[in-house]
Amino acid sequence: MKKLTNLLLISLLSFFVTTFTIEAKEAELNQEDLKTLMKERFPSLNINLMNDSDIPGFYAIEADGELVYLSKDGRFFIQGTAIDLENRVNLNNTQKAKWNSLKAPMRKADVASLKEKDMVVYKAPDEKHVITVFTDIDCGYCRKLHRERQDYLDRGITIRYLAFPRAGLASSSAKKLEGIWCSADRQTAMTDAKLNQKFSKATCNNPLAEHMKLVRKFGLGGTPSIILEDGNLIGGYQPAEVLIQNLDSMKSE
């Protein structure tokens, strides 16, 4: 019901938006003023990206990893799925695709700045590609990817894990990840945690908070989140035989 209400609201706004834009044009705010206004109204909100949306009179905003729409006068704030009924297009999908392409160079640079000593790395003997995977312990597809890790390694794909406790840094998932990162043998500890439900209780200074800063900066919403060598993002599990085809085609372009 909530999604339907959002959809109807967006449809109505789209219907009346031409009149609204003409009458309210002088009231439009620039992006910086809108960011300031949103910060005043929602102090904890972090806006990562803002650009014109395909809904006339509205900006598309990535805020804490979520896509929302904000009218250019700062009055209307819409969260939900936006559909172009005339063209039968999911505007959320097209907007996220644009952002993924836009953010790829930024993600590539940020990942390149990380040190492998702060990761859990499974290196392919005949390395052809490197993927960086934001992972959680309490995640079925993260366990599936890890269970199949030898398939990736055999195809020349090195796996580098970063921590993404989806429930937050104060959660039990974060404690489990901390135990892995603080173990003398991180690879064994990762496998024990994911596949055998055996968790290390080791504690130490660890990079989890830094990894979570990247989670927020990249706008990641789930695990596993796979960053490719060119900075592009795969939001979810992908089997090794499919991933290697994508990586090889990317390298040949």
Side-chain angles (χ1 to χ4, degrees), residues 27-142:
E28 287 183 4
L29 303 174
N30 63 43
Q31 292 190 18
E32 291 307 313
D33 288 341
L34 273 176
K35 288 178 182 178
T36 300
L37 180 64
M38 292 296 288
K39 200 68 178 175
E40 291 173 354
R41 292 174 174 171
F42 307 101
S44 63
L45 191 70
N46 296 304
I47 295 176
N48 303 316
L49 288 169
M50 178 186 291
N51 60 266
D52 285 318
S53 76
D54 290 327
I55 305 174
F58 281 78
Y59 285 116
I61 296 175
E62 186 186 67
D64 292 324
E66 296 293 327
L67 169 59
V68 297
Y69 298 94
L70 179 67
S71 62
K72 292 184 176 181
D73 65 350
R75 181 179 177 185
F76 296 102
F77 180 93
I78 302 172
Q79 184 176 15
T81 303
I83 305 293
D84 181 338
L85 296 177
E86 183 175 341
N87 296 306
R88 298 184 181 183
V89 173
N90 184 320
L91 299 181
N92 289 33
N93 290 343
T94 56
Q95 182 61 61
K96 288 177 180 178
K98 291 177 185 176
W99 280 344
N100 184 37
S101 178
L102 179 67
K103 292 195 293 185
M106 174 267 290
R107 285 192 292 256
K108 180 180 179 181
D110 283 337
V111 169
S113 71
L114 299 174
K115 297 180 176 61
E116 284 198 348
K117 70 179 183 64
D118 291 329
M119 307 176 185
V120 180
V121 181
Y122 295 82
K123 190 171 181 62
D126 183 19
E127 184 179 276
K128 299 175 183 175
H129 303 284
V130 178
I131 60 172
T132 305
V133 183
F134 286 86
T135 193
D136 195 5
I137 296 303
D138 303 319
C139 155
Y141 277 106
C142 296

Side-chain angles (χ1 to χ4, degrees), residues 190-211:
M190 180 71 78
T191 299
D192 280 344
K194 284 188 173 181
L195 304 188
N196 304 318
Q197 296 292 293
K198 292 170 60 177
F199 307 114
S200 168
K201 295 183 179 179
T203 60
C204 64
N205 290 328
N206 60 75
L208 267 65
E210 294 302 313
H211 294 178

